[in-house]
Amino acid sequence: AHSAEIEESIRNDTYWKGTCESLEELRTIDYDCGNFTLPDFDHRFRKSCGNKLIRVTANPLLTREECDEVVTLAEDFFTSRGGWPSLPSGRFQIAGTWIKDIPLVREYFNQLLRAKIFPALADLFPDVVNDPSALCIQSAYLFKYTPESGEKTDMHMDSSLLSFTLLLNDPEEFEGGGTFIESLGNNGEVVPMRKGDVTFRPAALRHRGQPITKGQRLVIGGFVTIAGREGCEHTRQLLSRGTEA
């Protein structure tokens, strides 16, 4: 069933797929996740970047003004509809929705995919992604995490090939939160990010969302696969194993 869903996302025009722009030199801060074996494509990921599987932009991929524009588009959209809806994330309801359901944010997001996100993934994981035009979005969301969102989420893997997270506001605007990666450090760590930064990683890295204790944290998250049978089969295998620890 999920393979059919992925094929549908490949066929329709919800998210950008096709020829991408050339990306200027991309510098990243890379985090060593150890030498455990990823459940899928481990050899390809290791060939691309060794143990440094988490790659965070050294300079924000979006300017502060671009981040503010995305947030304004979302706030205006939800205000006109009576407030933010919510989506389930594990056991908790998080304010936000799928990007496909926010027209002006979706338009902005598609430009970002073509110009920056897909080219960056091909640059950072060349042995996994041979051609950025073969990438497609499985799903993408915009979330607003608040103290009311709940406790930390369960440790899990994402059911895609690659995942990315874009932070839309300043870390000084909230306390807590962030993506906790189980394999970082001795006991797991949260990946540090600044406004406009993007974290790229294999989707099969076990992680969880940390709770917000003050303020709000706005993020875009995306799950990426490869068009065609290889991407569908990879997703099917992940789902058959289950995403929980």
Side-chain angles (χ1 to χ4, degrees):
H2 199 81
S3 291
E5 176 186 333
I6 301 303
E7 288 289 359
E8 176 63 23
S9 76
I10 294 169
R11 285 194 299 267
N12 67 31
D13 59 356
T14 300
Y15 296 115
W16 175 261
K17 51 185 178 291
T19 303
C20 297
E21 297 180 17
S22 297
L23 187 67
E24 297 180 3
E25 182 181 2
L26 178 66
R27 296 190 303 111
T28 57
I29 300 170
D30 303 328
Y31 294 87
D32 193 318
C33 293
N35 59 2
F36 68 96
T37 301
L38 288 167
D40 296 283
F41 300 105
D42 182 75
H43 175 71
R44 295 193 201 177
F45 278 113
R46 302 295 181 173
K47 189 176 179 182
S48 290
C49 49
N51 292 343
K52 296 184 176 181
L53 297 172
I54 297 175
R55 317 198 68 179
V56 183
T57 51
N59 298 309
L61 204 63
L62 266 67
T63 66
R64 301 180 66 81
E65 292 75 19
E66 289 173 327
C67 291
D68 291 342
E69 182 176 354
V70 173
V71 172
T72 297
L73 291 172
E75 292 284 8
D76 289 348
F77 178 81
F78 293 131
T79 297
S80 69
R81 284 157 177 76
W84 284 65
S86 64
L87 280 178
S89 179
R91 294 173 291 153
F92 307 104
Q93 291 289 324
I94 311 295
T97 193
W98 305 114
I99 287 179
K100 66 182 178 65
D101 297 327
I102 318 172
L104 292 180
V105 173
R106 182 183 67 223
E107 181 179 323
Y108 200 103
F109 181 67
N110 279 330
Q111 296 172 10
L112 182 63
L113 294 176
R114 181 180 69 252
K116 297 183 178 181
I117 297 292
F118 284 170
L121 286 168
D123 183 69
L124 296 174
F125 304 104
D127 297 287
V128 179
V129 182
N130 296 322
D131 181 355
S133 67
L135 294 174
C136 62
I137 290 291
Q138 180 175 317
S139 58
Y141 60 83
L142 193 159
F143 275 167
K144 179 195 288 188
Y145 292 94
T146 67
E148 292 73 34
S149 300
E151 301 177 0
K152 61 188 178 188
T153 62
D154 297 321
M155 196 72 70
H156 65 283
M157 298 183 293
D158 296 329
S159 54
S160 57
L161 176 62
L162 294 151
S163 297
F164 65 88
T165 304
L166 163 62
L167 182 60
L168 293 171
N169 64 322
D170 281 305
E172 291 76 15
E173 295 177 12
F174 57 86
E175 294 179 5
T179 303
F180 178 92
I181 305 294
E182 183 182 53
S183 54
L184 279 184
N186 294 326
N187 298 298
E189 297 177 6
V190 171
V191 179
M193 296 177 68
R194 301 158 300 171
K195 183 176 183 176
D197 276 347
V198 180
T199 295
F200 300 97
R201 58 181 172 80
L205 280 178
R206 283 162 46 88
H207 64 284
R208 68 174 180 239
Q210 294 293 86
I212 291 289
T213 57
K214 183 179 180 181
Q216 59 185 29
R217 180 175 184 263
L218 292 110
V219 301
I220 283 177
F223 307 112
V224 183
T225 189
I226 296 175
R229 291 183 178 179
E230 182 179 27
C232 288
E233 176 61 18
H234 172 256
T235 300
R236 185 195 66 76
Q237 291 177 6
L238 270 179
L239 287 172
S240 68
R241 281 196 297 271
T243 57
E244 290 188 3

